[in-house]
Short mmCIF file of all heavy atoms in Angstrom, two decimals:
data_model
loop_
_atom_site.label_atom_id
_atom_site.label_comp_id
_atom_site.label_asym_id
_atom_site.label_seq_id
_atom_site.Cartn_x
_atom_site.Cartn_y
_atom_site.Cartn_z
N MET A 1 36.75 0.48 -12.08
CA MET A 1 36.52 -0.29 -10.86
C MET A 1 36.67 0.64 -9.65
O MET A 1 37.64 1.37 -9.55
CB MET A 1 37.54 -1.42 -10.81
CG MET A 1 37.29 -2.39 -9.72
SD MET A 1 38.42 -3.81 -9.80
CE MET A 1 37.87 -4.62 -11.28
N SER A 2 35.69 0.64 -8.76
CA SER A 2 35.72 1.52 -7.60
C SER A 2 36.74 1.04 -6.58
O SER A 2 36.74 -0.13 -6.20
CB SER A 2 34.33 1.55 -6.96
OG SER A 2 34.41 2.04 -5.65
N ASP A 3 37.56 1.94 -6.14
CA ASP A 3 38.61 1.56 -5.20
C ASP A 3 38.03 1.12 -3.86
O ASP A 3 38.49 0.17 -3.25
CB ASP A 3 39.56 2.74 -5.01
CG ASP A 3 40.84 2.32 -4.33
OD1 ASP A 3 41.28 1.19 -4.56
OD2 ASP A 3 41.39 3.13 -3.58
N THR A 4 36.98 1.82 -3.37
CA THR A 4 36.44 1.45 -2.06
C THR A 4 35.60 0.19 -2.12
O THR A 4 35.67 -0.63 -1.23
CB THR A 4 35.56 2.58 -1.48
OG1 THR A 4 34.92 3.26 -2.52
CG2 THR A 4 36.36 3.53 -0.67
N LYS A 5 34.83 0.03 -3.17
CA LYS A 5 33.98 -1.16 -3.26
C LYS A 5 34.80 -2.43 -3.21
O LYS A 5 34.39 -3.43 -2.65
CB LYS A 5 33.16 -1.12 -4.55
CG LYS A 5 32.22 -2.31 -4.67
CD LYS A 5 31.34 -2.21 -5.88
CE LYS A 5 30.44 -3.44 -5.96
NZ LYS A 5 29.73 -3.53 -7.23
N PHE A 6 35.98 -2.40 -3.84
CA PHE A 6 36.78 -3.61 -3.92
C PHE A 6 38.01 -3.56 -3.02
O PHE A 6 38.95 -4.32 -3.23
CB PHE A 6 37.18 -3.88 -5.37
CG PHE A 6 36.01 -4.21 -6.23
CD1 PHE A 6 35.47 -3.28 -7.10
CD2 PHE A 6 35.41 -5.46 -6.13
CE1 PHE A 6 34.38 -3.60 -7.89
CE2 PHE A 6 34.31 -5.78 -6.92
CZ PHE A 6 33.79 -4.85 -7.79
N ALA A 7 37.98 -2.67 -2.05
CA ALA A 7 39.10 -2.59 -1.12
C ALA A 7 39.18 -3.88 -0.32
O ALA A 7 38.17 -4.52 -0.05
CB ALA A 7 38.92 -1.40 -0.19
N PRO A 8 40.40 -4.27 0.09
CA PRO A 8 40.53 -5.49 0.89
C PRO A 8 39.91 -5.31 2.27
O PRO A 8 39.67 -4.19 2.71
CB PRO A 8 42.05 -5.66 0.99
CG PRO A 8 42.59 -4.28 0.84
CD PRO A 8 41.67 -3.59 -0.13
N ILE A 9 39.62 -6.42 2.92
CA ILE A 9 39.04 -6.39 4.26
C ILE A 9 40.07 -6.95 5.24
O ILE A 9 40.59 -8.05 5.04
CB ILE A 9 37.75 -7.22 4.31
CG1 ILE A 9 36.71 -6.58 3.38
CG2 ILE A 9 37.22 -7.31 5.74
CD1 ILE A 9 35.42 -7.37 3.25
N ALA A 10 40.34 -6.18 6.29
CA ALA A 10 41.29 -6.62 7.31
C ALA A 10 40.63 -7.68 8.18
O ALA A 10 39.53 -7.47 8.70
CB ALA A 10 41.72 -5.43 8.15
N CYS A 11 41.28 -8.81 8.33
CA CYS A 11 40.72 -9.92 9.11
C CYS A 11 41.74 -10.41 10.12
O CYS A 11 42.94 -10.47 9.82
CB CYS A 11 40.37 -11.08 8.19
SG CYS A 11 39.13 -10.70 6.96
N ASP A 12 41.26 -10.79 11.30
CA ASP A 12 42.11 -11.44 12.29
C ASP A 12 41.98 -12.94 12.06
O ASP A 12 40.92 -13.52 12.34
CB ASP A 12 41.65 -11.07 13.70
CG ASP A 12 41.94 -9.62 14.03
OD1 ASP A 12 43.09 -9.18 13.80
OD2 ASP A 12 41.02 -8.91 14.48
N LEU A 13 43.03 -13.55 11.54
CA LEU A 13 43.00 -14.97 11.22
C LEU A 13 43.62 -15.77 12.36
O LEU A 13 44.64 -15.37 12.92
CB LEU A 13 43.77 -15.22 9.92
CG LEU A 13 43.26 -14.45 8.69
CD1 LEU A 13 44.18 -14.68 7.50
CD2 LEU A 13 41.82 -14.83 8.36
N GLU A 14 42.98 -16.89 12.69
CA GLU A 14 43.45 -17.72 13.79
C GLU A 14 44.16 -18.96 13.26
O GLU A 14 43.67 -19.62 12.34
CB GLU A 14 42.26 -18.16 14.65
CG GLU A 14 41.56 -17.02 15.35
CD GLU A 14 40.30 -17.50 16.08
OE1 GLU A 14 40.30 -18.63 16.60
OE2 GLU A 14 39.32 -16.74 16.08
N ALA A 15 45.29 -19.27 13.87
CA ALA A 15 46.07 -20.45 13.48
C ALA A 15 45.22 -21.71 13.55
O ALA A 15 44.49 -21.92 14.52
CB ALA A 15 47.29 -20.59 14.39
N GLY A 16 45.31 -22.53 12.51
CA GLY A 16 44.65 -23.82 12.51
C GLY A 16 43.18 -23.80 12.16
O GLY A 16 42.58 -24.84 11.92
N LYS A 17 42.57 -22.62 12.09
CA LYS A 17 41.15 -22.53 11.75
C LYS A 17 41.01 -22.60 10.24
O LYS A 17 41.83 -22.06 9.51
CB LYS A 17 40.60 -21.19 12.27
CG LYS A 17 39.10 -21.05 12.13
CD LYS A 17 38.61 -19.80 12.84
CE LYS A 17 37.13 -19.57 12.57
NZ LYS A 17 36.64 -18.35 13.23
N LYS A 18 39.99 -23.29 9.77
CA LYS A 18 39.79 -23.43 8.33
C LYS A 18 38.89 -22.32 7.81
O LYS A 18 37.80 -22.11 8.33
CB LYS A 18 39.20 -24.80 8.01
CG LYS A 18 40.12 -25.95 8.42
CD LYS A 18 39.65 -27.27 7.87
CE LYS A 18 40.47 -28.45 8.33
NZ LYS A 18 41.85 -28.25 8.65
N TYR A 19 39.37 -21.63 6.79
CA TYR A 19 38.62 -20.53 6.19
C TYR A 19 38.26 -20.86 4.75
O TYR A 19 38.98 -21.60 4.07
CB TYR A 19 39.46 -19.24 6.21
CG TYR A 19 39.76 -18.73 7.59
CD1 TYR A 19 40.97 -19.03 8.20
CD2 TYR A 19 38.83 -17.97 8.29
CE1 TYR A 19 41.26 -18.56 9.49
CE2 TYR A 19 39.10 -17.50 9.57
CZ TYR A 19 40.31 -17.81 10.16
OH TYR A 19 40.59 -17.36 11.42
N SER A 20 37.15 -20.29 4.31
CA SER A 20 36.74 -20.43 2.91
C SER A 20 36.65 -19.04 2.31
O SER A 20 35.70 -18.29 2.58
CB SER A 20 35.37 -21.12 2.82
OG SER A 20 35.45 -22.43 3.29
N TRP A 21 37.65 -18.71 1.52
CA TRP A 21 37.69 -17.39 0.88
C TRP A 21 36.84 -17.43 -0.38
O TRP A 21 37.05 -18.29 -1.25
CB TRP A 21 39.15 -17.04 0.55
CG TRP A 21 39.33 -15.76 -0.19
CD1 TRP A 21 39.13 -14.51 0.29
CD2 TRP A 21 39.76 -15.60 -1.54
NE1 TRP A 21 39.40 -13.58 -0.68
CE2 TRP A 21 39.80 -14.22 -1.82
CE3 TRP A 21 40.12 -16.50 -2.55
CZ2 TRP A 21 40.17 -13.71 -3.06
CZ3 TRP A 21 40.49 -15.99 -3.79
CH2 TRP A 21 40.51 -14.61 -4.02
N CYS A 22 35.90 -16.50 -0.49
CA CYS A 22 35.03 -16.42 -1.67
C CYS A 22 35.86 -16.07 -2.90
O CYS A 22 36.58 -15.08 -2.90
CB CYS A 22 33.94 -15.37 -1.45
SG CYS A 22 32.95 -15.01 -2.91
N THR A 23 35.77 -16.88 -3.93
CA THR A 23 36.48 -16.61 -5.19
C THR A 23 35.55 -16.02 -6.24
O THR A 23 36.01 -15.51 -7.25
CB THR A 23 37.08 -17.90 -5.79
OG1 THR A 23 36.02 -18.79 -6.11
CG2 THR A 23 38.05 -18.56 -4.82
N CYS A 24 34.24 -16.13 -6.01
CA CYS A 24 33.28 -15.78 -7.08
C CYS A 24 32.78 -14.34 -6.99
O CYS A 24 32.26 -13.81 -7.96
CB CYS A 24 32.10 -16.74 -7.06
SG CYS A 24 30.91 -16.45 -5.74
N GLY A 25 32.85 -13.74 -5.80
CA GLY A 25 32.40 -12.36 -5.63
C GLY A 25 30.93 -12.22 -5.27
O GLY A 25 30.46 -11.13 -5.00
N HIS A 26 30.17 -13.32 -5.24
CA HIS A 26 28.73 -13.23 -4.96
C HIS A 26 28.38 -13.26 -3.47
O HIS A 26 27.26 -12.95 -3.08
CB HIS A 26 27.98 -14.38 -5.66
CG HIS A 26 27.99 -14.28 -7.14
ND1 HIS A 26 27.36 -13.26 -7.83
CD2 HIS A 26 28.55 -15.08 -8.10
CE1 HIS A 26 27.53 -13.44 -9.14
NE2 HIS A 26 28.25 -14.53 -9.32
N SER A 27 29.31 -13.66 -2.64
CA SER A 27 29.03 -13.76 -1.20
C SER A 27 28.68 -12.40 -0.61
O SER A 27 29.29 -11.38 -0.95
CB SER A 27 30.25 -14.33 -0.47
OG SER A 27 30.02 -14.31 0.92
N GLU A 28 27.69 -12.38 0.29
CA GLU A 28 27.35 -11.15 1.00
C GLU A 28 28.11 -11.05 2.31
O GLU A 28 27.88 -10.13 3.10
CB GLU A 28 25.84 -11.08 1.23
CG GLU A 28 25.08 -10.92 -0.08
CD GLU A 28 23.57 -10.93 0.09
OE1 GLU A 28 23.10 -11.01 1.24
OE2 GLU A 28 22.88 -10.86 -0.93
N THR A 29 28.95 -12.00 2.57
CA THR A 29 29.77 -11.98 3.79
C THR A 29 31.25 -11.96 3.40
O THR A 29 32.04 -12.75 3.91
CB THR A 29 29.47 -13.20 4.69
OG1 THR A 29 29.68 -14.40 3.93
CG2 THR A 29 28.06 -13.17 5.20
N GLN A 30 31.59 -11.06 2.47
CA GLN A 30 32.98 -10.93 2.02
C GLN A 30 33.91 -10.66 3.20
O GLN A 30 33.53 -9.99 4.13
CB GLN A 30 33.09 -9.77 1.00
CG GLN A 30 32.38 -10.03 -0.30
CD GLN A 30 33.02 -11.15 -1.09
OE1 GLN A 30 34.22 -11.40 -1.01
NE2 GLN A 30 32.20 -11.85 -1.84
N PRO A 31 35.12 -11.20 3.15
CA PRO A 31 35.72 -11.89 2.01
C PRO A 31 35.47 -13.39 2.00
O PRO A 31 36.07 -14.10 1.20
CB PRO A 31 37.22 -11.59 2.22
CG PRO A 31 37.37 -11.61 3.70
CD PRO A 31 36.10 -10.98 4.24
N PHE A 32 34.57 -13.86 2.87
CA PHE A 32 34.38 -15.30 3.00
C PHE A 32 33.14 -15.79 2.24
O PHE A 32 32.19 -15.04 2.00
CB PHE A 32 34.27 -15.68 4.48
CG PHE A 32 35.50 -15.28 5.25
CD1 PHE A 32 35.47 -14.24 6.17
CD2 PHE A 32 36.71 -15.92 5.03
CE1 PHE A 32 36.61 -13.85 6.85
CE2 PHE A 32 37.86 -15.54 5.71
CZ PHE A 32 37.80 -14.51 6.63
N CYS A 33 33.17 -17.04 1.87
CA CYS A 33 32.08 -17.69 1.13
C CYS A 33 30.85 -17.84 2.03
O CYS A 33 30.97 -18.19 3.21
CB CYS A 33 32.56 -19.08 0.69
SG CYS A 33 31.29 -20.11 -0.05
N ASN A 34 29.67 -17.58 1.47
CA ASN A 34 28.42 -17.84 2.19
C ASN A 34 27.56 -18.86 1.45
O ASN A 34 26.39 -19.01 1.74
CB ASN A 34 27.64 -16.54 2.44
CG ASN A 34 27.02 -15.99 1.17
OD1 ASN A 34 27.33 -16.43 0.07
ND2 ASN A 34 26.14 -15.02 1.30
N GLY A 35 28.16 -19.52 0.46
CA GLY A 35 27.44 -20.55 -0.29
C GLY A 35 26.73 -20.02 -1.52
O GLY A 35 26.15 -20.80 -2.28
N ALA A 36 26.76 -18.72 -1.75
CA ALA A 36 26.02 -18.11 -2.87
C ALA A 36 26.51 -18.62 -4.22
O ALA A 36 25.74 -18.63 -5.19
CB ALA A 36 26.13 -16.59 -2.82
N HIS A 37 27.75 -19.08 -4.29
CA HIS A 37 28.29 -19.56 -5.58
C HIS A 37 27.48 -20.73 -6.12
O HIS A 37 27.41 -20.92 -7.34
CB HIS A 37 29.77 -19.97 -5.42
CG HIS A 37 29.98 -21.10 -4.49
ND1 HIS A 37 30.12 -20.95 -3.13
CD2 HIS A 37 30.05 -22.44 -4.73
CE1 HIS A 37 30.29 -22.14 -2.56
NE2 HIS A 37 30.24 -23.05 -3.51
N ARG A 38 26.86 -21.51 -5.23
CA ARG A 38 26.12 -22.70 -5.67
C ARG A 38 24.95 -22.33 -6.57
O ARG A 38 24.73 -22.96 -7.59
CB ARG A 38 25.63 -23.50 -4.46
CG ARG A 38 26.76 -24.13 -3.70
CD ARG A 38 26.26 -25.11 -2.66
NE ARG A 38 27.24 -25.27 -1.61
CZ ARG A 38 27.12 -24.76 -0.39
NH1 ARG A 38 26.03 -24.10 -0.04
NH2 ARG A 38 28.07 -24.92 0.50
N GLY A 39 24.19 -21.31 -6.18
CA GLY A 39 23.04 -20.90 -6.96
C GLY A 39 23.42 -20.13 -8.21
O GLY A 39 22.58 -19.93 -9.10
N LYS A 40 24.65 -19.69 -8.28
CA LYS A 40 25.10 -18.87 -9.41
C LYS A 40 25.94 -19.68 -10.39
O LYS A 40 26.45 -19.13 -11.37
CB LYS A 40 25.96 -17.70 -8.90
CG LYS A 40 25.29 -16.87 -7.83
CD LYS A 40 24.40 -15.82 -8.42
CE LYS A 40 23.89 -14.90 -7.31
NZ LYS A 40 22.94 -13.93 -7.79
N ASN A 41 26.13 -20.96 -10.10
CA ASN A 41 26.98 -21.80 -10.94
C ASN A 41 28.37 -21.16 -11.09
O ASN A 41 28.94 -21.10 -12.18
CB ASN A 41 26.34 -22.03 -12.31
CG ASN A 41 26.96 -23.22 -13.02
OD1 ASN A 41 27.52 -24.11 -12.38
ND2 ASN A 41 26.90 -23.24 -14.36
N ALA A 42 28.86 -20.64 -9.97
CA ALA A 42 30.12 -19.91 -9.96
C ALA A 42 31.22 -20.76 -9.32
O ALA A 42 30.98 -21.87 -8.84
CB ALA A 42 29.94 -18.60 -9.22
N THR A 43 32.42 -20.19 -9.31
CA THR A 43 33.57 -20.92 -8.79
C THR A 43 33.43 -21.16 -7.29
O THR A 43 32.92 -20.32 -6.55
CB THR A 43 34.86 -20.11 -9.03
OG1 THR A 43 34.69 -18.80 -8.51
CG2 THR A 43 35.18 -20.04 -10.51
N PRO A 44 33.91 -22.31 -6.81
CA PRO A 44 33.82 -22.63 -5.39
C PRO A 44 34.86 -21.84 -4.59
O PRO A 44 35.79 -21.27 -5.17
CB PRO A 44 34.14 -24.13 -5.35
CG PRO A 44 34.99 -24.36 -6.56
CD PRO A 44 34.49 -23.39 -7.60
N PRO A 45 34.72 -21.81 -3.27
CA PRO A 45 35.66 -21.05 -2.45
C PRO A 45 37.04 -21.72 -2.41
O PRO A 45 37.18 -22.91 -2.70
CB PRO A 45 35.02 -21.08 -1.07
CG PRO A 45 34.22 -22.34 -1.06
CD PRO A 45 33.70 -22.49 -2.46
N MET A 46 38.03 -20.92 -2.05
CA MET A 46 39.36 -21.45 -1.81
C MET A 46 39.51 -21.67 -0.31
O MET A 46 39.34 -20.74 0.47
CB MET A 46 40.42 -20.44 -2.28
CG MET A 46 41.84 -20.98 -2.19
SD MET A 46 43.04 -19.67 -2.52
CE MET A 46 43.56 -19.35 -0.85
N ARG A 47 39.79 -22.89 0.07
CA ARG A 47 39.98 -23.20 1.49
C ARG A 47 41.42 -22.90 1.87
O ARG A 47 42.34 -23.21 1.11
CB ARG A 47 39.70 -24.68 1.75
CG ARG A 47 38.48 -25.19 1.05
CD ARG A 47 37.28 -25.19 1.94
NE ARG A 47 36.17 -25.84 1.24
CZ ARG A 47 34.91 -25.52 1.42
NH1 ARG A 47 34.58 -24.58 2.27
NH2 ARG A 47 33.96 -26.14 0.78
N PHE A 48 41.58 -22.31 3.05
CA PHE A 48 42.94 -22.06 3.51
C PHE A 48 42.97 -21.96 5.02
O PHE A 48 41.93 -21.81 5.67
CB PHE A 48 43.51 -20.77 2.88
CG PHE A 48 42.96 -19.48 3.47
CD1 PHE A 48 43.70 -18.77 4.41
CD2 PHE A 48 41.72 -19.00 3.10
CE1 PHE A 48 43.21 -17.60 4.97
CE2 PHE A 48 41.21 -17.82 3.66
CZ PHE A 48 41.96 -17.12 4.58
N GLU A 49 44.15 -22.10 5.56
CA GLU A 49 44.37 -21.86 6.98
C GLU A 49 45.75 -21.24 7.15
O GLU A 49 46.56 -21.28 6.22
CB GLU A 49 44.20 -23.13 7.81
CG GLU A 49 45.03 -24.31 7.42
CD GLU A 49 44.62 -25.55 8.21
OE1 GLU A 49 44.96 -25.61 9.41
OE2 GLU A 49 43.97 -26.44 7.65
N VAL A 50 45.98 -20.65 8.30
CA VAL A 50 47.27 -20.00 8.57
C VAL A 50 47.97 -20.73 9.71
O VAL A 50 47.32 -21.37 10.54
CB VAL A 50 47.08 -18.50 8.91
CG1 VAL A 50 46.52 -17.75 7.71
CG2 VAL A 50 46.17 -18.32 10.12
N GLU A 51 49.29 -20.65 9.70
CA GLU A 51 50.07 -21.36 10.72
C GLU A 51 50.18 -20.59 12.02
O GLU A 51 50.41 -21.17 13.07
CB GLU A 51 51.46 -21.68 10.16
CG GLU A 51 51.40 -22.69 9.02
CD GLU A 51 52.77 -23.04 8.49
OE1 GLU A 51 53.78 -22.51 9.00
OE2 GLU A 51 52.82 -23.85 7.54
N GLN A 52 50.05 -19.26 11.92
CA GLN A 52 50.13 -18.43 13.12
C GLN A 52 48.98 -17.42 13.08
O GLN A 52 48.57 -16.99 12.00
CB GLN A 52 51.45 -17.65 13.16
CG GLN A 52 52.67 -18.54 13.28
CD GLN A 52 53.96 -17.73 13.31
OE1 GLN A 52 54.04 -16.65 12.71
NE2 GLN A 52 54.95 -18.25 14.02
N ASP A 53 48.50 -17.03 14.27
CA ASP A 53 47.50 -15.96 14.32
C ASP A 53 48.07 -14.73 13.64
O ASP A 53 49.23 -14.39 13.86
CB ASP A 53 47.19 -15.59 15.78
CG ASP A 53 46.41 -16.68 16.51
OD1 ASP A 53 46.13 -17.71 15.89
OD2 ASP A 53 46.13 -16.47 17.70
N LYS A 54 47.27 -14.10 12.80
CA LYS A 54 47.76 -12.87 12.16
C LYS A 54 46.61 -12.06 11.62
O LYS A 54 45.51 -12.57 11.38
CB LYS A 54 48.74 -13.19 11.03
CG LYS A 54 48.14 -13.92 9.84
CD LYS A 54 49.20 -14.07 8.75
CE LYS A 54 48.67 -14.80 7.53
NZ LYS A 54 49.67 -14.92 6.47
N LYS A 55 46.88 -10.79 11.44
CA LYS A 55 45.92 -9.91 10.77
C LYS A 55 46.33 -9.86 9.30
O LYS A 55 47.51 -9.75 8.99
CB LYS A 55 45.96 -8.51 11.38
CG LYS A 55 44.94 -7.56 10.77
CD LYS A 55 44.96 -6.21 11.46
CE LYS A 55 44.25 -6.23 12.78
NZ LYS A 55 42.85 -5.94 12.79
N ALA A 56 45.36 -10.00 8.41
CA ALA A 56 45.67 -9.98 6.99
C ALA A 56 44.58 -9.24 6.24
O ALA A 56 43.42 -9.22 6.66
CB ALA A 56 45.78 -11.41 6.47
N HIS A 57 44.97 -8.63 5.13
CA HIS A 57 44.01 -7.96 4.27
C HIS A 57 43.63 -8.92 3.16
O HIS A 57 44.46 -9.28 2.32
CB HIS A 57 44.61 -6.68 3.70
CG HIS A 57 44.71 -5.59 4.72
ND1 HIS A 57 45.75 -5.51 5.61
CD2 HIS A 57 43.88 -4.56 5.00
CE1 HIS A 57 45.56 -4.47 6.42
NE2 HIS A 57 44.43 -3.88 6.06
N LEU A 58 42.38 -9.39 3.22
CA LEU A 58 41.93 -10.37 2.23
C LEU A 58 41.28 -9.67 1.04
O LEU A 58 40.51 -8.72 1.19
CB LEU A 58 40.96 -11.37 2.88
CG LEU A 58 41.55 -12.18 4.04
CD1 LEU A 58 40.56 -13.27 4.46
CD2 LEU A 58 42.89 -12.79 3.70
N CYS A 59 41.58 -10.18 -0.12
CA CYS A 59 41.12 -9.61 -1.40
C CYS A 59 39.61 -9.72 -1.55
O CYS A 59 39.01 -10.76 -1.24
CB CYS A 59 41.81 -10.39 -2.52
SG CYS A 59 41.21 -10.00 -4.17
N THR A 60 38.98 -8.65 -2.03
CA THR A 60 37.55 -8.72 -2.38
C THR A 60 37.30 -8.48 -3.86
O THR A 60 36.21 -8.71 -4.35
CB THR A 60 36.71 -7.69 -1.58
OG1 THR A 60 37.07 -6.38 -1.99
CG2 THR A 60 36.89 -7.85 -0.09
N CYS A 61 38.32 -8.00 -4.59
CA CYS A 61 38.11 -7.77 -6.03
C CYS A 61 38.27 -9.06 -6.82
O CYS A 61 37.84 -9.15 -7.96
CB CYS A 61 39.06 -6.69 -6.56
SG CYS A 61 40.76 -7.24 -6.87
N LYS A 62 38.87 -10.07 -6.17
CA LYS A 62 39.06 -11.41 -6.74
C LYS A 62 40.04 -11.44 -7.90
O LYS A 62 40.07 -12.41 -8.66
CB LYS A 62 37.71 -12.05 -7.16
CG LYS A 62 36.61 -11.93 -6.13
CD LYS A 62 37.02 -12.46 -4.77
CE LYS A 62 35.91 -12.25 -3.74
NZ LYS A 62 36.37 -12.60 -2.37
N LEU A 63 40.82 -10.41 -8.03
CA LEU A 63 41.80 -10.36 -9.13
C LEU A 63 43.23 -10.48 -8.62
O LEU A 63 44.17 -10.40 -9.41
CB LEU A 63 41.63 -9.05 -9.91
CG LEU A 63 40.27 -8.86 -10.59
CD1 LEU A 63 40.17 -7.47 -11.20
CD2 LEU A 63 40.04 -9.93 -11.64
N THR A 64 43.38 -10.69 -7.33
CA THR A 64 44.72 -10.79 -6.78
C THR A 64 45.51 -11.94 -7.39
O THR A 64 44.94 -12.99 -7.73
CB THR A 64 44.67 -10.96 -5.25
OG1 THR A 64 46.02 -11.08 -4.76
CG2 THR A 64 43.89 -12.20 -4.83
N SER A 65 46.81 -11.77 -7.49
CA SER A 65 47.68 -12.85 -7.95
C SER A 65 48.18 -13.68 -6.78
O SER A 65 48.90 -14.64 -6.96
CB SER A 65 48.89 -12.28 -8.69
OG SER A 65 48.47 -11.61 -9.86
N ASN A 66 47.77 -13.28 -5.57
CA ASN A 66 48.23 -13.97 -4.37
C ASN A 66 47.04 -14.29 -3.46
O ASN A 66 46.99 -13.84 -2.32
CB ASN A 66 49.25 -13.08 -3.63
CG ASN A 66 49.85 -13.78 -2.43
OD1 ASN A 66 50.00 -15.00 -2.42
ND2 ASN A 66 50.18 -13.01 -1.39
N PRO A 67 46.05 -15.05 -3.96
CA PRO A 67 44.85 -15.31 -3.16
C PRO A 67 45.19 -16.09 -1.89
O PRO A 67 46.09 -16.93 -1.92
CB PRO A 67 43.98 -16.16 -4.09
CG PRO A 67 44.93 -16.78 -5.07
CD PRO A 67 46.05 -15.77 -5.23
N PRO A 68 44.50 -15.83 -0.77
CA PRO A 68 43.36 -14.91 -0.63
C PRO A 68 43.77 -13.49 -0.28
O PRO A 68 42.93 -12.69 0.07
CB PRO A 68 42.61 -15.56 0.54
CG PRO A 68 43.72 -16.06 1.44
CD PRO A 68 44.77 -16.58 0.47
N TYR A 69 45.06 -13.18 -0.37
CA TYR A 69 45.55 -11.90 0.13
C TYR A 69 45.52 -10.81 -0.95
O TYR A 69 45.77 -11.08 -2.13
CB TYR A 69 46.98 -12.06 0.66
CG TYR A 69 47.07 -13.13 1.71
CD1 TYR A 69 47.61 -14.38 1.40
CD2 TYR A 69 46.56 -12.92 2.98
CE1 TYR A 69 47.65 -15.39 2.36
CE2 TYR A 69 46.59 -13.92 3.94
CZ TYR A 69 47.14 -15.15 3.62
OH TYR A 69 47.17 -16.16 4.57
N CYS A 70 45.24 -9.61 -0.50
CA CYS A 70 45.27 -8.45 -1.41
C CYS A 70 46.69 -8.22 -1.90
O CYS A 70 47.64 -8.29 -1.10
CB CYS A 70 44.78 -7.21 -0.65
SG CYS A 70 44.96 -5.68 -1.59
N ASP A 71 46.85 -7.99 -3.19
CA ASP A 71 48.16 -7.63 -3.73
C ASP A 71 48.15 -6.25 -4.37
O ASP A 71 49.07 -5.88 -5.08
CB ASP A 71 48.66 -8.69 -4.73
CG ASP A 71 47.88 -8.69 -6.03
OD1 ASP A 71 46.85 -7.97 -6.13
OD2 ASP A 71 48.29 -9.41 -6.96
N GLY A 72 47.07 -5.50 -4.11
CA GLY A 72 46.98 -4.14 -4.61
C GLY A 72 46.37 -4.02 -6.01
O GLY A 72 46.19 -2.91 -6.51
N THR A 73 46.01 -5.15 -6.61
CA THR A 73 45.46 -5.13 -7.98
C THR A 73 44.19 -4.30 -8.09
O THR A 73 43.93 -3.70 -9.13
CB THR A 73 45.19 -6.57 -8.45
OG1 THR A 73 46.43 -7.28 -8.48
CG2 THR A 73 44.58 -6.60 -9.86
N HIS A 74 43.37 -4.24 -7.02
CA HIS A 74 42.10 -3.48 -7.08
C HIS A 74 42.32 -2.01 -7.38
O HIS A 74 41.39 -1.33 -7.81
CB HIS A 74 41.33 -3.63 -5.76
CG HIS A 74 42.02 -3.01 -4.58
ND1 HIS A 74 43.04 -3.65 -3.90
CD2 HIS A 74 41.85 -1.81 -3.98
CE1 HIS A 74 43.46 -2.87 -2.93
NE2 HIS A 74 42.77 -1.75 -2.94
N LYS A 75 43.52 -1.51 -7.17
CA LYS A 75 43.79 -0.09 -7.42
C LYS A 75 44.05 0.18 -8.90
O LYS A 75 44.09 1.32 -9.32
CB LYS A 75 45.01 0.35 -6.61
CG LYS A 75 44.79 0.32 -5.12
CD LYS A 75 46.05 0.75 -4.39
CE LYS A 75 45.89 0.58 -2.90
NZ LYS A 75 47.19 0.63 -2.23
N ASN A 76 44.29 -0.86 -9.67
CA ASN A 76 44.65 -0.68 -11.08
C ASN A 76 43.43 -0.37 -11.95
O ASN A 76 42.35 -0.77 -11.67
CB ASN A 76 45.36 -1.93 -11.64
CG ASN A 76 46.66 -2.18 -10.92
OD1 ASN A 76 47.20 -1.28 -10.30
ND2 ASN A 76 47.13 -3.40 -10.99
S1 FES B 101 29.92 -17.42 -2.43
FE1 FES B 101 31.68 -16.95 -3.61
S2 FES B 101 32.87 -18.75 -3.46
FE2 FES B 101 31.11 -19.23 -2.33
#
């Protein structure tokens, strides 16, 4: 697995805003869902929001044990 291809993406998350994190890996707007899972019969996005504005590294390898956040698994 390529370390750069699946590196996490740093995102500025806003409190109270609803996000859809892509779980299937088919989205072209990683790390967020663009609806591509529907045509691929793949897993739906995980909806989440944060309580405070923060910068976070969101997982793109989809193997994290702490979705939607990177836990370093892509390096393994
Ligand atoms: S495109 Fe991957 S979850 Fe929607």
Side-chain angles (χ1 to χ4, degrees):
M1 189 174 291
S2 162
D3 194 34
T4 32
K5 182 176 179 190
F6 294 103
I9 297 175
C11 298
D12 290 310
L13 302 175
E14 295 175 35
K17 187 172 174 181
K18 298 191 185 331
Y19 295 98
S20 295
W21 176 69
C22 172
T23 63
C24 76
H26 292 295
S27 175
E28 293 177 3
T29 56
Q30 293 293 331
F32 301 110
C33 173
N34 72 348
H37 63 274
R38 292 190 204 106
K40 307 275 187 185
N41 198 23
T43 53
M46 185 188 103
R47 317 264 186 211
F48 75 100
E49 55 188 286
V50 295
E51 293 182 0
Q52 296 180 329
D53 290 0
K54 66 176 180 179
K55 183 177 283 270
H57 287 82
L58 299 188
C59 171
T60 67
C61 79
K62 313 307 177 187
L63 298 174
T64 179
S65 296
N66 184 32
Y69 305 104
C70 173
D71 70 353
T73 298
H74 66 279
K75 294 179 186 164
N76 297 340

